[in-house]
Amino acid sequence: MLIKNYGVRIRQIFKGAISLLFIFSYASCKKNANSVAELYDVVYLESNNFNADQNSILAYQVKSDGSLTPLAGSPFLTKGAGVANPQQILGPADSDFEIKLSSDGKYLMAVNSGSNTIAVFAVKYDGTLEQVPGSPFPSGGETPVSIDVAGDRVFVINKSQNPYHTPTLAPNYSTFAINSAGFLTSVPGGKFETTPGSSPAQAYVSRDHRFLFGVDFLGSLLTPPVGTLRSFTISGTGLLTPAPGTPYVLPSVMPKDNGALGVWQSPIANILYVGFPLQGKVGVYNIDPASGALSYLNAVPAGKAACWFRTNRAGTRLYDLNSGDNTVQVYNTTNPAAPASLQTIELKNSGPEYPGPGGAMFKTSEPFSLAFSTLQDYLYVVNQHTNKDFSIGNYNYLHTLKVAVDGTLSEQFDPIQLPVPNAYRPKGSLVLARTNINPQITNP
């Protein structure tokens, strides 16, 4: 009898718990009675507005047909300034990873290149952004342009190249810690200074978080020239130690063509892809898994000013932005050490040509950043107006490219005219999956 009553009591408790759960669930559903849970991607980029406190993050929601619409609340001010480049010279706008997500996915970080700070935003469930207390934080140098992360360590490139301000500090690679509240603090001893005038452009952490790779883009144009490709080991506290042989000099007949710009690691091999923009090539390097040292393997032909890269998750396709041609080039990287070109597609609205570096003709609208959708069925490309003739119209665009099963690309939509004047050069790209309904269950 006791056992029977005990069983009845257990069933009553269980039914009560189910009823309580139903009440909470119903209250949540009722609160959103007119809403249907929808998952969507949000594409983020940076306006790079160089006026005081006017830099911002632009956000676009991806609709079910792949088209883009501004996210409610966008733009989100960074409380800082971008960097101006009135004469469109090499260096100030040459960078990657200007915006980056924290390892836990809670925070979006963005460079304020013109005010030497890093803005940190909390990312809400719907993709909107809210600055954390204390943001923006000092960048540890001048003209911050690139961010990458390894766990709770954040690495920032300070370029020290701003046409509106004479640099007073050498460019550097700085290490920060980010806590659970998104607060950035500099790591003691976590600053590595590089060659003044070398215009470092990207901090890139290896897949295993043991190494950091960097490119000192304009080092080959200095007197005397210096190597432009760097590799560091990362200590447990985030301190950087140069790997053997760094900085590396690119193989080149002409020393002035030795500028590295843009790096990306194969997800399936210890292979690093490096942009040789002044040579129109993609370099392929082996990464020593013990020391992080780089050894040159080969280089394959690319377009004009080849510089920024991404691979698909499978590592079988490499995507390269040929900025001078306004093209995206697709390579078969089934053999990661031997990229084979599959396709070169010119993006829409290239604009008029103009004489660029070295007298070569460049397109007015040039691709400078790229990011995949979360399902990798779309590739988003941010284009900058690079022509110093600002009377010809505005060629700042966001392109949406459809990725076919074989990895090739097509541009089915017209690009979005970014709400950024042509004197500014928008940069950075990041894609996150979001939802229109707060998943948190609240009391009725």
Side-chain angles (χ1 to χ4, degrees), residues 22-33:
F22 176 78
I23 290 171
F24 280 115
S25 299
Y26 177 76
S28 179
C29 291
K30 186 176 181 181
K31 182 179 179 181
N32 298 294

Side-chain angles (χ1 to χ4, degrees), residues 194-418:
T194 188
T195 311
S198 62
S199 189
Q202 184 182 2
Y204 182 89
V205 174
S206 64
R207 293 195 323 271
D208 59 9
H209 291 183
R210 297 179 57 220
F211 310 118
L212 183 137
F213 306 109
V215 286
D216 290 1
F217 174 41
L218 298 182
S220 63
L221 301 181
L222 300 176
T223 304
V226 297
T228 59
L229 178 61
R230 288 191 173 275
S231 177
F232 302 90
T233 59
I234 303 174
S235 75
T237 58
L239 303 186
L240 302 176
T241 301
T246 191
Y248 305 97
V249 175
L250 307 189
S252 173
V253 175
M254 301 292 292
K256 290 186 179 299
D257 291 342
N258 178 30
L261 192 61
V263 293
W264 189 268
Q265 184 181 1
S266 165
I268 58 175
N270 287 319
I271 294 293
L272 188 71
Y273 302 112
V274 180
F276 294 4
L278 303 179
Q279 301 179 42
K281 296 178 181 179
V282 177
V284 182
Y285 284 79
N286 180 71
I287 304 169
D288 187 306
S291 67
L294 301 175
S295 55
Y296 174 75
L297 297 178
N298 58 75
V300 296
K304 195 179 299 175
C307 49
W308 310 120
F309 308 102
R310 299 293 185 269
T311 59
N312 60 1
R313 293 190 189 98
T316 57
R317 296 293 183 269
L318 172 70
Y319 297 84
D320 154 47
L321 299 186
N322 299 315
S323 296
D325 296 332
N326 191 29
T327 62
V328 183
Q329 194 159 351
V330 186
Y331 294 86
N332 181 342
T333 50
T334 305
N335 178 356
S341 183
L342 285 179
Q343 178 196 26
T344 300
I345 177 175
E346 182 171 345
L347 302 177
K348 294 181 179 180
N349 297 9
S350 291
E353 292 188 325
Y354 68 95
M361 299 304 291
F362 280 63
K363 300 295 175 64
T364 288
S365 189
E366 297 185 18
F368 267 74
S369 187
L370 69 167
F372 276 108
S373 62
T374 54
L375 295 179
Q376 298 206 323
D377 51 349
Y378 290 99
L379 184 68
Y380 304 102
V381 180
V382 177
N383 271 48
Q384 301 178 355
H385 182 114
T386 63
N387 193 329
K388 63 182 178 181
D389 183 353
F390 300 117
S391 68
I392 58 175
N394 189 340
Y395 289 87
N396 287 327
Y397 291 110
L398 175 58
H399 296 266
T400 300
L401 304 177
K402 179 65 176 175
V403 183
V405 174
D406 65 356
T408 56
L409 305 171
S410 60
E411 189 168 12
Q412 301 172 353
F413 301 104
D414 287 333
I416 288 179
Q417 174 78 70
L418 292 171

